[in-house]
Amino acid sequence: MNVIILETVLFIALVAVVGTIFVTALGITPVGRRLRQSANRKRIDKQAELTCPVHGLQPEADLVRLPTGESLCPHCYKEAVHGQIG
């Protein structure tokens, strides 16, 4: 019984070590670099979508979705629809 438990623990440790080596190798290889660059690009694109050229960075929850599918900052929406500035 003890041998079975020991073999199971050693197998789990082996799987963990191989997984760690694999994940570390992904960080060094060109594939890992490409994955990091893609993640950075998505993060920067997301931040660019949330930035109004006039009013700056806006929280995503505050943006107004237009019928065309575009997003508009709440200040620009007030100015365009209600004619209010401020």
Side-chain angles (χ1 to χ4, degrees):
M1 183 69 176
N2 290 337
V3 174
I4 295 173
I5 294 173
L6 181 64
E7 284 182 0
T8 303
V9 169
L10 289 175
F11 178 74
I12 292 172
L14 177 68
V15 169
V17 168
V18 169
T20 303
I21 291 171
F22 180 73
V23 169
T24 303
L26 269 181
I28 298 170
T29 63
V31 174
R33 186 179 333 120
R34 183 168 296 170
L35 291 173
R36 279 194 317 276
Q37 289 173 348
S38 294
N40 288 341
R41 189 176 309 111
K42 287 178 185 177
R43 182 179 48 81
I44 291 169
D45 288 346
K46 181 73 170 177
Q47 188 171 4
E49 290 175 5
L50 298 177
T51 303
C52 174
V54 178
H55 301 103
L57 187 63
Q58 301 291 321
E60 186 175 7
D62 292 348
L63 294 178
V64 178
R65 177 77 54 191
L66 299 175
T68 60
E70 295 179 83
S71 295
L72 194 63
C73 89
H75 305 293
C76 291
Y77 182 76
K78 278 184 186 178
E79 292 172 7
V81 174
H82 301 296
Q84 300 172 354
I85 297 177

